[in-house]
Amino acid sequence: MITIIDEKKVLQLAFADADYLPREIISSSDIVAAQERYIVPILGQRLTAMLLEGEYQELAEYYVAPALAFATRLMIQPTLNLRLCEGGLVALHGEGMEQPNQKAVSALVRSLKIRTRQLLKRLSAFTERNATNYPEYDSKSNIFNRCSIDGGVVQIF
């Protein structure tokens, strides 16, 4: 599958706080799902297609990559916390480690949501300010120009 960033970039940007994680922990399907769910609603199909073709490297590197990396982590973090085996769903519990309580897990997910949202807003604002540099960009397709949730308040424009 073609993705804007690869698994290594996701690990580098969104998992800097983690100990060693194998590259295989993230699949290209995870990245594609995050692209479709979080990036396409901001940039639109046409601009996303150009990024997939390798165009607009500055946009991809400095704005899309961080947002996409955190969006990917946000989507897969729950599966990293648990494992599926022949005995069903289990939580990892190793020697010298203890399982976090639900409050800590919820705080991590909340933090990932906040960081992802801010990086997506940053991407949206940059493309709006520089729309003339990206002829494939359609401001009307940007979800942040139609709907926003700030402080728990849903705003539809």
Side-chain angles (χ1 to χ4, degrees):
M1 285 184 221
I2 301 172
T3 57
I4 297 170
I5 60 174
D6 62 11
E7 298 85 353
K8 182 179 177 185
K9 193 72 167 175
V10 172
L11 286 171
Q12 178 187 27
L13 293 173
F15 289 90
D17 60 339
D19 290 334
Y20 170 78
L21 289 173
R23 192 172 174 177
E24 299 79 33
I25 200 114
I26 301 163
S27 72
S28 59
S29 297
D30 296 326
I31 300 169
V32 167
Q35 280 176 186
E36 292 295 320
R37 181 177 172 121
Y38 292 99
I39 302 301
V40 173
I42 295 171
L43 301 181
Q45 292 287 347
R46 291 177 49 219
L47 182 52
T48 302
M50 295 301 291
L51 290 168
L52 289 168
E53 292 175 13
E55 298 294 323
Y56 306 124
Q57 286 300 306
E58 179 186 2
L59 175 64
E61 180 71 22
Y62 297 109
Y63 295 91
V64 176
L68 181 52
F70 270 91
T72 303
R73 180 172 180 184
L74 179 62
M75 288 181 70
I76 68 168
Q77 187 65 52
T79 61
L80 297 178
N81 298 343
L82 301 169
R83 291 287 178 254
L84 183 62
C85 66
E86 65 275 356
L89 197 58
V90 297
L92 298 177
H93 185 69
E95 200 172 302
M97 296 183 226
E98 66 180 58
Q99 290 179 290
N101 60 34
Q102 186 57 42
K103 187 175 178 180
V105 172
S106 295
L108 171 62
V109 172
R110 193 170 40 257
S111 171
L112 290 173
K113 284 180 181 178
I114 290 167
R115 289 186 274 177
T116 300
R117 184 159 183 81
Q118 287 310 120
L119 290 168
L120 292 169
K121 282 185 168 189
R122 179 177 176 260
L123 168 62
S124 174
F126 178 81
T127 52
E128 284 294 314
R129 282 192 314 271
N130 297 284
T132 56
N133 297 335
Y134 310 108
E136 300 82 6
Y137 176 67
D138 179 8
S139 184
K140 290 180 277 183
S141 71
N142 185 337
I143 192 71
F144 282 116
N145 291 338
R146 297 189 318 252
C147 180
S148 181
I149 301 173
D150 296 301
V153 177
V154 177
Q155 302 172 11
I156 300 173
F157 314 114

